[in-house]
Amino acid sequence: MNNTMKIDGHMAVIQYDPEIDMLRGEFIGLNGGADFYAKDLDALRKEGETSLRVFLQTCKAHQIEPMKAFSGKFQTRIPPKIHAQAAEAAAARGVSLNNLVQEAIEHELNAGI
């Protein structure tokens, strides 16, 4: 992934914010906001480390779980034609639609590595 940065084991999405002419990082998978800004990548990493440290300390002090919980369930909307084609493809493979979608997501994630 080209627009991500790993800081102390936590992934952050990095984007350029033209309104303030700065890079913006936002940690994903946290149970709250811990974003950070800087003009260059080295400074952004340092700001990210600080932001993450403060976030984790605050969570610990208030006994809050810092990581977002994922249930493994989500809903998505796709065009009916694609839904029908996916159902047919799953049936032809002898798997559930859920398994087909899971395999497709895993394939896409592995392709990005």
Side-chain angles (χ1 to χ4, degrees):
M1 294 183 191
N2 295 335
N3 64 335
T4 60
M5 179 182 284
K6 197 171 211 176
I7 299 174
D8 296 332
H10 296 273
M11 195 64 68
V13 174
I14 309 303
Q15 296 179 331
Y16 173 69
D17 187 334
E19 289 184 23
I20 58 173
D21 191 30
M22 294 181 84
L23 296 169
R24 177 182 184 266
E26 181 177 15
F27 286 102
I28 53 178
L30 296 182
N31 197 16
D35 54 346
F36 49 101
Y37 298 85
K39 289 280 189 184
D40 62 65
L41 290 176
D42 288 335
L44 189 68
R45 180 172 295 282
K46 289 177 186 172
E47 288 296 319
E49 290 168 353
T50 300
S51 179
L52 181 61
R53 184 176 57 254
V54 169
F55 177 81
L56 295 175
Q57 288 171 346
T58 302
C59 287
K60 187 175 182 179
H62 292 92
Q63 298 180 343
I64 298 170
E65 171 58 42
M67 301 307 295
K68 187 182 293 184
F70 291 94
S71 69
K73 297 178 184 181
F74 68 94
Q75 186 175 28
T76 185
R77 289 174 179 73
I78 59 175
K81 182 178 179 179
I82 293 175
H83 188 176
Q85 289 173 332
E88 290 170 8
R93 289 175 142 183
V95 300
S96 69
L97 183 56
N98 185 73
N99 283 352
L100 182 77
V101 171
Q102 179 180 334
E103 289 172 10
I105 291 172
E106 288 172 347
H107 177 269
E108 189 64 27
L109 293 174
N110 289 332
I113 295 176

